[in-house]
Amino acid sequence: MSGHSTYEFKNPIARWVDERLPILSVVRGQLVDFPTPRNLNYWWTFGGILATMLVIQILTGIVLVMHFTPHTSMAFDSVEHIMRDVNWGWLLRWMHANGASFFFIAVYIHIFRGLYYGSYKAPREILWMIGVIIFIAMMATAFMGYVLPWGQMSYWGAVVITNLFSAIPVVGDQIVQWLWGGFSVANPTLQRFFSLHYLLPFVLAALVFLHVWALHVTGNNNPDGIEVKSEQDTLPFHPYYTMKDLFAILVFLMVYAAFVFYSPWYLGHSINFAPANPLSTPAHIVPEWYFLPFYAMLRAIPDKLGGVIVMFSSLIILFFLPWLDTSKVKSLKYRPLARQFFWLLVIVCLVLGIAGAQPAQGAWLLVARLATAWYFIHFLVILPLLGFIEKPKPIPASISEAVLGKAKA
Amino acid sequence: MTTKVENADVSRRDFLYIATGAVGAVGTALAIWPFIDQMNPDASVLALASTEFDLAPLEEGQGVTIKWRGKPVFIRHRTPKEIEEAKKTPLAELKDPIARNLNLPPDAEATDENRVKDANGKVNEKYLVQIGICTHLGCVPLGEQGDYDGWFCPCHGSHYDSAGRIRKGPAPRNLDIPPYKYTSDTVIVIG
């Protein structure tokens, strides 16, 4: 449905350029005329929101690097220097720190949108799998970025997370030493995390390009989960969706700005205002909120290696989702039973997040175990079975019929 | 128009093709190694691999934490009561029956004597030297705390006794004893 734009440029310079490098007709075809399903709702604006957040993170990151010093003896002080001395440093730093959180808010909504409307199903499997890679790369980037200010939580977060790899049998300790560049988390660790934290966002940008490319080959999924059949089903991307996306982006940025300006530390941990001290562990180590569900899974398993395997499996399993879901119907709008299990999964993920913030003992440990079990049961048992058990509701013949009703379409 | 090459030496061409490919692949594989190995501990990190410590100023009942290879090392001058408690604990009561002393064979029993033995087999039960990293998830336990007159890890509630052996909580192993040896009656070298 993409194809080359047949648009003829009237401006002779534009035509001259386009005959030599068809960049203008690609923009025209992919960003202006691109046929987009007419029934997309606001849940579809989070792709644009995510692109915006990536740009904000890269821009604020590049200028923060102009003032940050990646050395254990100066990293913490240089962040304070940014906060107190650098012109607008406080704003740039809080934009970057809160930007990470809002990036994750948007990506979680985007992922659950995909789950609800079956956006991972044929022919969009590759699109979905690139998305999972993006999500994992985002988590690695965020983790390494959080280490850079070299506060107590930065340091001990790095200790606990890198120690996960020590659970690997036989070579685990060697791998951890290789990751650290020493016998503990120290300056070599900080410097390599800084290097990779600068690199990965550009890898992310390249992955996003592939993600959008795959999207533009298959075209958007939509709330009814019906493929586009005729031009009647679509609208040109510009101005209909450029404006809709822009509106959503602006609303999202207002909420983001409210955090940046009025409670920039709300999503962080006060313990990170203390410089890293390798000789004293804070009483309660907690990762940033967006890692809590995975942290809960890690701690839910009483065995160290088992916990690590379960935690990584919770991500790997997403690669197989297109084949685990056996139903031919994409949108949960027409799958009454699957819809209930979807909301149960949402609740289970939220519960995991809450459990991840609690000390791993007593009732919360039990809750985390049950929720972890359900997470895997959902993907490995419920989804494959539902395709056979469930009787979906009747599906409209086309998108325009779904929008306008049978009579008009 | 097609050109037919007479007497084309196919096997010679195949050899060149495979040889070029093989040299390219092996060369690339070898060239990757420096990029990976540069992340391993460097010479300056390895140079700090041993630390000397004078035990003489340590009073009875006093413990200090020093840094070795960037890790905290607990050195404690134990009281007779602590030594007595550690010695009379039957091995059957221990969660981890292995000494975890890098100066001893890996299957040495976790007796109190084996917890204070240096690389030369010298035993000085007054001084306990151990790496201050909880064997659970890497936190630093607090001294003179817990239910066993030893160490207590605030992160997830592991209790270690006065010989640094795990007694209660999620940690799987006793605190590790680093490689060390006495160079005189009161001076040890760790590492």
Side-chain angles (χ1 to χ4, degrees):
Chain A
M1 63 183 294
S2 56
H4 279 290
S5 170
T6 50
Y7 188 79
E8 286 281 328
F9 289 93
K10 301 214 166 52
N11 183 314
I13 298 173
R15 194 158 57 225
W16 186 88
V17 169
D18 205 61
E19 279 163 2
R20 283 152 183 81
L21 177 70
I23 191 166
L24 295 173
S25 47
V26 167
V27 168
R28 182 90 205 176
Q30 303 300 318
L31 298 175
V32 179
D33 294 340
F34 189 70
T36 313
R38 63 194 288 175
N39 58 340
L40 299 189
N41 57 29
Y42 271 104
W43 298 112
W44 259 263
T45 59
F46 282 87
I49 288 170
L50 283 163
T52 309
M53 290 317 294
L54 180 60
V55 170
I56 289 176
Q57 288 304 84
I58 289 178
L59 290 181
T60 52
I62 286 172
V63 292
L64 284 170
V65 165
M66 295 181 185
H67 308 279
F68 172 76
T69 311
H71 190 280
T72 49
S73 65
M74 292 171 75
F76 186 87
D77 289 347
S78 71
V79 171
E80 287 309 306
H81 160 73
I82 289 169
M83 294 298 292
R84 293 149 199 255
D85 303 338
V86 175
N87 300 333
W88 302 102
W90 58 273
L91 177 64
L92 295 164
R93 194 267 174 124
W94 286 136
M95 279 176 76
H96 198 68
N98 286 280
S101 274
F102 277 78
F103 208 156
F104 275 95
I105 290 173
V107 88
Y108 281 127
I109 295 174
H110 191 65
I111 291 171
F112 277 101
R113 193 288 318 274
L115 290 175
Y116 189 90
Y117 293 110
S119 299
Y120 47 85
K121 290 188 187 180
R124 297 185 183 80
E125 300 96 324
I126 301 270
L127 172 59
W128 168 261
M129 288 159 87
I130 295 170
V132 177
I133 296 172
I134 291 175
F135 178 46
I136 294 172
M138 256 180 81
M139 294 206 285
T141 312
F143 160 66
M144 287 192 274
Y146 190 68
V147 174
L148 301 183
W150 212 242
Q152 270 290 65
M153 204 60 100
S154 298
Y155 180 87
W156 290 100
V159 169
V160 170
I161 300 300
T162 51
N163 258 318
L164 296 182
F165 293 92
S166 72
I168 300 168
V170 190
V171 290
D173 287 332
Q174 248 139 359
I175 288 177
V176 172
Q177 273 189 19
W178 176 73
L179 288 173
W180 287 341
F183 304 104
S184 58
V185 174
N187 194 55
T189 326
L190 174 61
Q191 286 190 303
R192 66 193 52 184
F193 278 19
F194 177 61
S195 167
L196 295 173
H197 184 70
Y198 206 119
L199 166 71
L200 280 176
F202 296 99
V203 174
L204 273 175
L207 287 166
V208 168
F209 178 81
L210 292 178
H211 195 60
V212 173
W213 186 1
L215 170 71
H216 281 229
V217 170
T218 61
N220 293 72
N221 184 32
N222 57 77
D224 289 289
I226 317 164
E227 294 302 315
V228 168
K229 297 205 170 73
S230 69
E231 213 171 305
Q232 254 203 320
D233 292 345
T234 67
L235 294 169
F237 187 71
H238 179 76
Y240 292 93
Y241 286 111
T242 45
M243 284 304 121
K244 188 168 183 169
D245 279 358
L246 183 60
F247 177 71
I249 289 167
L250 291 176
V251 172
F252 189 82
L253 289 184
M254 283 180 200
V255 181
Y256 166 56
F259 272 82
V260 168
F261 287 105
Y262 294 104
S263 54
W265 50 81
Y266 180 77
L267 295 166
H269 300 287
S270 56
I271 193 76
N272 221 29
F273 286 107
N277 179 0
L279 298 183
S280 156
T281 312
H284 190 39
I285 303 179
V286 201
E288 290 290 85
W289 68 266
Y290 39 82
F291 290 138
L292 289 175
F294 300 99
Y295 195 55
M297 290 193 198
L298 170 75
R299 299 188 306 177
I301 311 299
D303 178 68
K304 193 167 162 185
L305 177 61
V308 174
I309 289 174
V310 162
M311 186 184 72
F312 284 113
S313 302
S314 68
L315 292 167
I316 302 299
I317 205 170
L318 297 176
F319 283 110
F320 299 96
L321 180 59
W323 298 277
L324 287 170
D325 186 347
T326 49
S327 174
K328 292 276 179 286
V329 179
K330 288 199 190 90
S331 173
L332 295 192
K333 216 168 153 179
Y334 303 107
R335 298 183 62 191
L337 207 50
R339 197 161 60 217
Q340 292 175 25
F341 281 109
F342 169 85
W343 288 112
L344 184 57
L345 180 72
V346 172
I347 291 168
V348 160
C349 289
L350 292 174
V351 165
L352 277 170
I354 296 166
Q358 312 297 325
Q361 39 193 288
W364 278 114
L365 188 58
L366 183 68
V367 168
R369 282 181 183 156
L370 292 173
T372 303
W374 186 259
Y375 179 92
F376 285 94
I377 290 170
H378 177 89
F379 287 109
L380 294 175
V381 181
I382 302 292
L383 278 184
L385 281 183
L386 274 182
F388 298 104
I389 296 169
E390 187 181 44
K391 186 167 163 40
K393 288 203 255 176
I395 295 161
S398 70
I399 292 173
S400 45
E401 186 189 302
V403 175
L404 303 170
K406 214 161 198 166
K408 287 185 189 168
Chain B
M1 192 181 86
T2 53
T3 315
K4 188 150 189 221
V5 181
E6 300 287 336
N7 304 322
D9 194 342
V10 174
S11 68
R12 187 157 173 261
R13 195 163 282 204
D14 279 354
F15 172 76
L16 286 171
Y17 184 70
I18 291 166
T20 308
V23 171
V26 172
T28 307
L30 291 175
I32 287 171
W33 179 243
F35 289 83
I36 294 173
D37 192 38
Q38 54 83 24
M39 280 174 69
N40 273 316
D42 64 29
S44 70
V45 170
L46 295 172
L48 296 172
S50 74
T51 302
E52 197 180 73
F53 186 77
D54 184 3
L55 299 165
L58 270 189
E59 301 284 342
E60 192 177 287
Q62 192 186 6
V64 292
T65 304
I66 64 166
K67 246 182 168 180
W68 170 67
R69 289 175 159 189
K71 296 175 183 180
V73 170
F74 295 156
I75 302 178
R76 180 161 177 82
H77 187 160
R78 299 189 295 174
T79 61
K81 174 173 169 271
E82 290 168 357
I83 299 170
E84 187 57 31
E85 281 174 357
K87 282 179 126 171
K88 72 172 191 221
T89 304
L91 285 180
E93 269 184 33
L94 299 176
K95 283 183 69 181
D96 177 18
I98 310 290
R100 306 292 171 193
N101 184 338
L102 289 172
N103 305 293
L104 300 177
D107 58 347
E109 285 183 330
T111 57
D112 187 58
E113 187 185 302
N114 278 345
R115 295 282 297 167
V116 291
K117 203 179 258 182
D118 83 345
N120 298 327
K122 181 181 162 79
V123 173
N124 187 346
E125 63 189 20
K126 283 200 283 188
Y127 299 105
L128 178 63
V129 181
Q130 50 190 350
I131 294 174
I133 293 179
C134 184
T135 55
H136 182 226
L137 281 173
C139 299
V140 179
L142 305 169
E144 296 177 64
Q145 289 196 27
D147 297 351
Y148 298 89
D149 283 336
W151 286 264
F152 171 72
C153 184
C155 288
H156 305 102
S158 294
H159 297 255
Y160 297 90
D161 68 9
S162 54
R165 296 172 299 195
I166 181 67
R167 300 299 289 276
K168 203 165 109 181
R173 290 180 291 117
N174 300 327
L175 291 177
D176 286 316
I177 309 284
Y180 74 99
K181 59 175 182 276
Y182 284 88
T183 52
S184 77
D185 277 351
T186 58
V187 176
I188 57 169
V189 172
I190 303 170

